[in-house]
Amino acid sequence: MQSYTRRVIEIIAGIPEGCVMTYGQVAELAGSRRAARQVVRILHSMSDSHGLPWHRVVNAKGEIAVRDEESRLLQSLYLQGEGVAVDDRGCVDLSKFQFWPEVKEVRGMD
DNA sequence: AAATTGACGGGTG
DNA sequence: CCACCCGCCAATT
């Protein structure tokens, strides 16, 4: 695996229980703001084999983005089990549950 | 080296 | 709110 992949994996592995991050956010923290799709790709090939908390990653709207029905349900259950509220559309309130690692300086957010 | 892959994101109408 | 399109990017084939 290449370094970018490793970064993404470490970031995802670092999402605490009860929190979520978006694909775009993970991509950005890993070093490429627009590499959200890499995160998707990586999860496709690595999620289970690395025991990653893949369920803590949602899309920019806070929705569960997984395609397979069973997996969406599983993700929803995992999140709810950690205290993350998920509505009937599989949507999470990012303003409440999105994880921001060391959000020390929140100036204007660029 | 070119094509493919993807669970995305933002913009537009 | 929804449908659609297009840009994006690194790993894989």
Side-chain angles (χ1 to χ4, degrees):
Chain A
M1 99 182 40
Q2 300 314 302
S3 65
Y4 188 81
T5 299
R6 203 171 84 188
R7 265 187 196 285
V8 169
I9 289 175
E10 288 178 8
I11 290 171
I12 293 177
I15 305 175
E17 258 188 44
C19 297
V20 298
M21 280 182 79
T22 69
Y23 297 92
Q25 186 186 1
V26 171
E28 179 169 14
L29 291 175
S32 295
R33 181 162 56 94
R34 302 172 177 73
R37 293 159 61 164
Q38 265 49 247
V39 179
V40 170
R41 248 192 81 79
I42 291 164
L43 259 39
H44 265 272
S45 51
M46 329 270 304
S47 62
D48 54 334
S49 45
H50 286 64
L52 287 178
W54 57 271
H55 57 280
R56 303 195 182 124
V57 187
V58 296
N59 71 17
K61 301 173 208 156
E63 300 170 319
I64 286 177
V66 178
R67 307 268 190 178
D68 320 273
E69 280 308 312
E70 284 187 65
S71 297
R72 319 175 33 101
L73 179 57
L74 188 59
Q75 177 166 13
S76 172
L77 291 177
Y78 276 145
L79 289 175
Q80 295 182 64
E82 299 179 355
V84 177
V86 180
D87 69 21
D88 292 333
R89 303 163 320 190
C91 195
V92 167
D93 186 339
L94 290 181
S95 68
K96 292 180 184 169
F97 302 106
Q98 183 168 21
F99 174 56
W100 289 97
E102 43 189 308
V103 184
K104 5 188 169 183
E105 304 165 67
V106 183
R107 59 189 94 99
M109 61 190 79
D110 214 72

